[in-house]
Amino acid sequence: MMNHRLALAAAETPAPAAGAEITVHGVAAVCDPLGGLYLPDLSCLVISDLHLEKGAAFARRGMMLPPYDTLATLNLLAAVIARYDPRTVISLGDNFHDRRGSALMPDAFRDMIRTLAFGRDWIWINGNHDPDGTTDLPGQSADELVYGGLVFRHEPSLIAGRGEVAGHLHPSATVGRRGKYVRRACFATDGARLVMPAFGVLTGGLDLKHKAMHGLFDHAALIAHLLGRDRIYSVRFNSLIG
């Protein structure tokens, strides 16, 4: 999954994409192959789990990762913003990989975010990795946001899930055909709530059949919208491998 995302980030111009048109709690939405959810009636783009500065966070702990994750993730973010030109951007938590990432991020990346946010409303939802919000970046921070008939939060709620758009779990799914298997990050929705794929290029994925997902969805209605290079592949839960 990570190599697929890195290849997309390295492309000078993203290929035209075919998104999947869905509804979440009656609100129209488009699942984009780059990992963003666009709400056309609200002119709103939703992303989740950027995990910016993950490589830097690991380096501070003496574990070396390739130091290109923030640039690659922001390049993907720039591409999906250019595709939809939204009035509002909502980032659903774990925007940074740790509490220090926002404050220590290099100015070049800070300037990229300022350019992307110019003329838009930008909301940073606080996550478990970055509960204190952002430092010296445009926009506002919040623990959750009720907007346009939906509730945007980082961690899915087992109590109040209808109309929820959340992140945190990094859903992924595996499909097979003719003895070959492909695992990809995915949007997961049963029409009542949606859990977003992780947007960051160094983030892993948790299988949609993992026990952490139990109780979140009506499996009879659950569809995994897998991220392809230039399109979304929509597969019903009972057709997934795993």
Side-chain angles (χ1 to χ4, degrees):
M1 288 193 301
M2 183 180 71
N3 289 340
H4 159 70
R5 301 283 289 161
L6 287 171
L8 288 175
E12 290 187 8
T13 303
E21 297 182 2
I22 64 169
T23 59
V24 182
H25 197 53
V27 178
V30 177
C31 301
D32 190 275
L34 291 179
L37 183 76
Y38 182 60
L39 310 175
D41 293 341
L42 302 175
S43 186
C44 176
L45 177 70
V46 187
I47 49 175
S48 188
D49 294 274
L50 298 172
H51 284 269
L52 297 172
E53 293 295 275
K54 181 174 183 176
F58 272 69
R60 287 193 289 273
R61 296 163 176 78
M63 296 176 282
M64 297 299 117
L65 290 177
Y68 310 118
D69 59 293
T70 296
L71 177 59
T73 298
L74 291 178
N75 281 344
L76 286 179
L77 182 54
V80 75
I81 286 176
R83 183 123 68 205
Y84 299 104
D85 191 22
R87 285 197 310 267
T88 303
V89 175
I90 302 173
S91 187
L92 291 181
D94 287 359
N95 308 297
F96 289 84
H97 191 68
D98 66 8
R99 290 173 182 261
R100 302 176 64 193
S102 175
L104 298 179
M105 185 172 62
D107 288 341
F109 300 146
R110 201 175 301 279
D111 290 343
M112 288 180 69
I113 293 173
R114 290 187 181 121
T115 298
L116 294 176
F118 182 77
R120 311 181 201 281
D121 294 324
W122 197 291
I123 297 93
W124 304 97
I125 300 298
N126 300 324
N128 57 295
H129 279 252
D130 56 350
D132 305 321
T134 62
T135 299
D136 193 26
L137 286 173
Q140 300 175 332
S141 295
D143 289 331
E144 70 175 39
L145 174 70
V146 178
Y147 178 56
L150 299 172
V151 180
F152 300 91
R153 57 171 64 102
H154 178 60
E155 297 190 34
S157 168
L158 285 172
I159 300 172
R162 293 193 66 83
E164 175 185 84
V165 179
H168 182 59
L169 292 176
H170 303 194
S172 65
T174 303
V175 293
R177 185 181 182 187
R178 298 176 182 173
K180 296 182 179 180
Y181 302 93
V182 176
R183 182 169 177 259
R184 288 285 172 86
C186 68
F187 300 86
T189 183
D190 59 2
R193 64 140 49 96
L194 182 144
V195 177
M196 296 281 297
F199 199 89
V201 299
L202 286 188
T203 53
L206 188 65
D207 194 90
L208 198 50
K209 296 192 175 185
H210 190 277
K211 62 182 180 180
M213 305 283 185
H214 289 178
L216 294 178
F217 301 104
D218 173 4
H219 285 178
L222 177 57
I223 298 177
H225 300 282
L226 284 73
L227 309 188
R229 286 184 176 272
D230 56 8
R231 59 166 289 188
I232 290 285
Y233 295 87
S234 301
V235 182
R236 291 195 173 278
F237 179 76
N238 59 10
S239 297
L240 299 173
I241 306 296

